Amino acid sequence: METVDNNLNPKHYPQGRAETPTSTLGIKQKGSIFPWLTKVISKWDTFLEISGRLLSILSFLLVGLVVFNVLSRYLFNYSWLALQELEWHLFSILFLIPMAWTLKRDQHVRVDFFYQKFSKPRQGLVNGLGQLFFTLPFSIIMIIVSWGWVGQSYSLSEASPDPGGLPARYILKAIIPISFFLLAIQALADLIKTFVLSPSGKLASTHISSENTESCKESP
Amino acid sequence: MIILFFLVVLLALFLGFPVALTLGGVSILMGLCFLESTFLELLPLRVWGIMTNPLLLSVPLFVFMGLILQKSGIAEALLNSASVLLGKRKAGLALAVVIVGGILAATTGIVGATVVTMGLISLPAMLKQGYKPQLALGTIAASGTLGQIIPPSVVLVLLGSVLNVSVGDLFIGALFPGLLLISFYLLYIGVLATFFPQFVRVQESTITENLSLTNQQNPAIQSEVEKTKVFDNTLSHDELHKRSDQLPQADPTIYNKISRLMIALLPATLLIVAVLGTLFAGIASPTEAAGVGAAGALLIALMQKKISRKDFYEVLRQTTWITSMVFTILVGASAFSLVFRGLGGDVQIIDFLNHTQLSREHFIWLVMGVVFIAGFFIDFIEIIFIIVPILLPLLGHLNIDPLWFGILIALNLQTSFLTPPFGFALFYLKGVAPPTITTSQIYRGVLPFIGMQFTILILIYFFPSLVRVNWF
């Protein structure tokens, strides 16, 4: 843990390094060894953030869609099967694709009984090991096993079995590998942040940034 | 093997890495090592099952509704007007807290938010009126957890999906135990106020002490307010306390008070009727009722101009995170249960049961004990998704009604959140209480309420007909 102090001490940095004070990562970049890597990661963060915010509009659309279907059924006694299928299509997209964004914002529930008492570097270590041994294998296996399954659906050009349902069901099925791909990339980005850009693990939990404190974790 | 798997999962969970990914990761690694590779190819089908489950679709809608109500300050308005109406009566404030807690439970169902809101608004007012801190704290913590059991609660939706019970039935089944709980609380406070008036009477020494302390800046509260965003951004901690200080002497006439309460009650009542009414009348499915409730909440918030654009975006974001968080756990848990089954875990549990000749009664009490203790450490979502599916095959085996069992689990979880030293509600309350409030005061305060919880749990255990779907 002495490296923490080294990081704080500017004497340890070679001269002539580009010094940008902060980035969207919230990481002090003057310590980074690979400026391009930092850049790539900060691009990725921005991408996740923007796409996540756009996707969150789906929750409102979902409310509107459900209400529309209810009204059309009870007031006009008419229901569109395609629109009803769209309900759970939207729902699927709403929970699967933002998995990576939710991970980045540290909104996945932890059993933080011991975790909250850990020091920052130790929390960073837990996160790093978790991404390496849990998130990455989980995502990769999910991509592999769902890939063939989606391909099968595509080769059959599978659609809704009901008349009037939505076509191209393989697109919805493809959401699974896509989401886990995004999750794997986020895990990788987090690993790089933890072990490459801040080898001490000191800044490992920077993705739990201050903007996060505003959020309320759903609790029972 | 299965015990090793279970232990590794438990150990990994306690490290503190996100639950969903830990479950998924450990299960996949175990599956790769000990199962045939074709077995894991069942995983996409499990995820597909989650995607196509029409019941689970109601969760983001209920979450959306709860968050809108939280941001628009409906809880605050309710508490304020209820306290104005009942504030000057003996134990009036405590009764108001229980009633408002019940109403909030029926609209939002988010325990953390309810405890924090009531802790911030009612606790200073109650202490100022000279309530014994224990009583005030116990009332707030217990009323805040009502959201677990009073429908529509996310706990019941998830339990219904795991137990294969209709969510509508679970809601109706939970209604009577929930009301019973509220009446027990009210009765307890009433009896206490009648026979031991010192619990609610103004005591000069404590009142001045508490007054000075509730008014000083408390950074813990400040951060809690920001963290949970129960209130508008503009509403500072000081303003909150000012408001609660003004409560008792607000309006002079009783009619004025009642009309104010009515106005504050109206939106919540309309929503409860819209959501639960259509659901219980069998007009709407849980998903439809949730959708209508969410839209209704938004409409009310917009009409009262109580929600800013910024708050609205925040609601959207949090709905997305919570939805993603809940269902990623479900994805991870289905990987877990797949591998658990693949390793022969379900067979081993039934074997164990046959071997030990565990009776139906012993089984139920064993499960209740495990769930109760698990509730200290892990969230209800994990308990429902990890523990309950393992038990599911045994329910049929032992001839246990899943609806009744589900209500027992929900009640048990609620009690567990209230029980020292680990109950979640207690942490939330401690976070917003003035610094003079000690943890042991909170513990002593909730004890009678825990007693009532257990009484009801035991009542329902011995009289299963208290949980029924057809009341007429």
Side-chain angles (χ1 to χ4, degrees):
Chain A
M1 299 307 135
E2 289 89 331
T3 41
V4 175
D5 296 323
N6 289 347
N7 252 0
L8 293 173
N9 192 341
K11 268 192 296 192
H12 288 265
Y13 300 122
Q15 299 207 326
R17 188 173 305 262
E19 290 196 4
T20 28
T22 51
S23 74
T24 44
L25 285 176
I27 292 181
K28 274 181 271 173
Q29 292 194 349
K30 58 180 176 183
S32 70
I33 313 156
F34 308 104
W36 58 273
L37 198 56
T38 314
K39 218 173 195 172
V40 169
I41 297 227
S42 99
K43 281 257 158 55
W44 165 255
D45 276 0
T46 318
F47 163 73
L48 260 194
E49 202 55 42
I50 292 173
S51 62
R53 279 167 200 241
L54 286 177
L55 279 167
S56 72
I57 299 174
L58 284 183
S59 62
F60 177 59
L61 291 183
L62 183 62
V63 172
L65 184 63
V66 171
V67 171
F68 178 80
N69 285 341
V70 170
L71 289 182
S72 82
R73 169 119 58 101
Y74 292 109
L75 295 184
F76 307 109
N77 207 7
Y78 190 83
S79 56
W80 281 273
L81 190 69
L83 286 184
Q84 279 185 355
E85 285 192 347
L86 194 60
E87 284 182 8
W88 57 266
H89 282 53
L90 284 186
F91 164 65
S92 305
I93 298 169
L94 183 67
F95 83 83
L96 279 170
I97 296 191
M99 281 195 304
W101 184 42
T102 311
L103 180 64
K104 172 180 172 274
R105 287 301 204 97
D106 194 32
Q107 294 290 318
H108 283 293
V109 161
R110 302 166 183 273
V111 179
D112 59 358
F113 195 66
F114 298 115
Y115 181 81
Q116 61 184 358
K117 296 188 183 97
F118 287 170
S119 62
K120 280 269 182 251
R122 182 168 288 187
Q123 288 187 350
L125 191 67
V126 166
N127 281 327
L129 292 178
Q131 307 287 23
L132 190 61
F133 290 108
F134 299 150
T135 315
L136 278 179
F138 184 39
S139 316
I140 291 167
I141 293 291
M142 283 304 286
I143 295 169
I144 293 172
V145 293
S146 58
W147 193 247
W149 179 68
V150 174
Q152 201 180 5
S153 168
Y154 179 73
S155 63
L156 297 170
S157 48
E158 190 186 1
S160 166
D162 302 303
L166 290 171
R169 185 153 274 187
Y170 46 87
I171 295 181
L172 185 66
K173 289 189 169 176
I175 297 288
I176 299 178
I178 291 171
S179 309
F180 278 96
F181 176 70
L182 294 174
L183 191 67
I185 300 287
Q186 172 54 27
L188 213 60
D190 202 61
L191 269 175
I192 293 172
K193 269 188 234 177
T194 310
F195 292 119
V196 182
L197 298 183
S198 59
S200 62
K202 177 177 79 94
L203 298 167
S205 39
T206 35
H207 61 290
I208 312 164
S209 55
S210 55
E211 59 184 326
N212 248 10
T213 47
E214 68 191 36
S215 58
C216 157
K217 212 170 256 182
E218 158 94 333
S219 284
Chain B
M1 175 51 58
I2 207 68
I3 293 172
L4 177 79
F5 178 43
F6 208 80
L7 282 181
V8 171
V9 167
L10 261 184
L11 214 72
L13 280 179
F14 272 98
L15 280 180
F17 192 66
V19 170
L21 304 168
T22 311
L23 275 176
V26 176
S27 308
I28 290 278
L29 291 179
M30 284 299 223
L32 282 178
C33 294
F34 300 108
L35 294 174
E36 286 173 42
S37 62
T38 48
F39 204 79
L40 292 178
E41 282 169 16
L42 293 171
L43 272 172
L45 294 177
R46 291 295 185 97
V47 181
W48 183 247
I50 301 169
M51 293 160 75
T52 52
N53 187 334
L55 209 63
L56 297 176
L57 180 54
S58 67
V59 172
L61 302 171
F62 277 130
V63 170
F64 184 92
M65 174 170 117
L67 287 171
I68 289 276
L69 290 176
Q70 225 186 84
K71 293 268 185 281
S72 60
I74 195 172
E76 213 194 335
L78 259 181
L79 257 181
N80 281 343
S81 42
S83 325
V84 168
L85 185 67
L86 297 166
K88 277 189 177 164
R89 277 160 211 283
K90 205 161 55 174
L93 263 182
L95 298 177
V97 165
V98 175
I99 293 168
V100 171
I103 294 172
L104 286 182
T107 54
T108 65
I110 299 171
V111 168
T114 317
V115 171
V116 168
T117 312
M118 298 205 298
L120 279 171
I121 300 176
S122 310
L123 187 60
M126 286 170 94
L127 293 177
K128 202 180 138 205
Q129 281 205 1
Y131 280 79
K132 277 258 171 73
Q134 292 98 295
L135 178 65
L137 293 163
T139 310
I140 289 169
S143 310
T145 56
L146 285 172
Q148 296 261 305
I149 187 82
I150 307 245
S153 101
V154 175
V155 178
L156 295 176
V157 173
L158 298 181
L159 264 176
S161 76
V162 171
L163 288 169
N164 290 323
V165 183
S166 135
V167 170
D169 287 355
L170 261 181
F171 279 2
I172 301 175
L175 199 58
F176 186 70
L179 291 177
L180 204 61
L181 213 51
I182 295 181
S183 17
F184 265 50
Y185 289 178
L186 291 175
L187 207 66
Y188 165 72
I189 294 166
V191 167
L192 208 63
T194 314
F195 294 104
F196 303 96
Q198 69 269 25
F199 273 89
V200 295
R201 189 178 290 153
V202 179
Q203 290 163 318
E204 285 308 322
S205 58
T206 50
I207 187 172
T208 45
E209 188 187 334
N210 283 323
L211 245 181
S212 61
L213 284 162
T214 47
N215 280 335
Q216 58 179 235
Q217 269 291 352
N218 180 347
I221 297 180
Q222 196 73 35
S223 68
E224 198 67 26
V225 173
E226 276 159 21
K227 211 159 92 189
T228 53
K229 284 272 228 158
V230 178
F231 308 105
D232 303 351
N233 293 335
T234 51
L235 205 63
S236 78
H237 171 69
D238 280 337
E239 280 175 73
L240 269 176
H241 278 297
K242 255 182 245 153
R243 285 195 195 184
S244 52
D245 287 350
Q246 286 161 358
L247 287 181
Q249 58 269 18
D251 283 313
T253 65
I254 185 83
Y255 298 107
N256 213 329
K257 286 180 189 174
I258 292 178
S259 69
R260 267 187 55 171
L261 180 66
M262 282 317 187
I263 291 168
L265 265 177
L266 197 65
T269 320
L270 276 179
L271 270 183
I272 295 174
V273 170
V275 175
L276 291 185
T278 51
L279 194 64
F280 290 169
I283 301 170
S285 70
T287 305
E288 290 172 332
V292 171
L298 185 60
L299 214 63
I300 289 168
L302 285 177
M303 277 182 349
Q304 298 187 339
K305 292 197 169 58
K306 277 193 174 159
I307 193 149
S308 66
R309 190 179 288 258
K310 191 168 160 261
D311 283 343
F312 179 66
Y313 289 140
E314 187 59 31
V315 168
L316 294 187
R317 269 187 288 164
Q318 284 191 21
T319 307
T320 310
W321 290 333
I322 293 170
T323 308
S324 185
M325 179 270 284
V326 170
F327 292 106
T328 314
I329 295 181
L330 188 48
V331 171
S334 42
F336 170 78
S337 72
L338 188 71
V339 173
F340 185 79
R341 206 155 292 179
L343 295 171
D346 47 347
V347 181
Q348 284 188 26
I349 284 196
I350 292 190
D351 278 355
F352 169 78
L353 205 71
N354 286 335
H355 192 70
T356 52
Q357 296 291 320
L358 204 65
S359 70
R360 186 172 173 273
E361 284 68 31
H362 288 142
F363 168 75
I364 291 174
W365 287 114
L366 184 73
V367 171
M368 288 297 136
V370 169
V371 168
F372 185 72
I373 291 168
F376 291 158
F377 304 102
I378 59 181
D379 234 0
F380 72 93
I381 309 169
E382 289 107 272
I383 296 178
I384 292 171
F385 289 154
I386 304 173
I387 300 182
V388 178
I390 294 177
L391 303 172
L392 197 58
L394 299 179
L395 295 186
H397 194 77
L398 290 169
N399 195 18
I400 296 170
D401 175 18
L403 174 70
W404 174 71
F405 191 70
I407 302 286
L408 281 183
I409 289 186
L411 257 176
N412 190 345
L413 280 177
Q414 190 210 341
T415 314
S416 162
F417 289 127
L418 202 56
T419 304
F422 301 118
F424 281 115
L426 310 177
F427 291 130
Y428 286 120
L429 188 56
K430 181 79 175 97
V432 296
T436 37
I437 297 296
T438 61
T439 311
S440 81
Q441 276 176 319
I442 299 182
Y443 288 177
R444 269 180 288 151
V446 291
L447 279 182
F449 290 92
I450 295 169
M452 286 182 265
Q453 298 278 143
F454 275 123
T455 313
I456 297 208
L457 198 60
I458 290 166
L459 265 179
I460 288 174
Y461 173 76
F462 283 110
F463 302 99
S465 59
L466 288 175
V467 177
R468 61 163 79 172
V469 179
N470 303 312
W471 282 96
F472 305 107

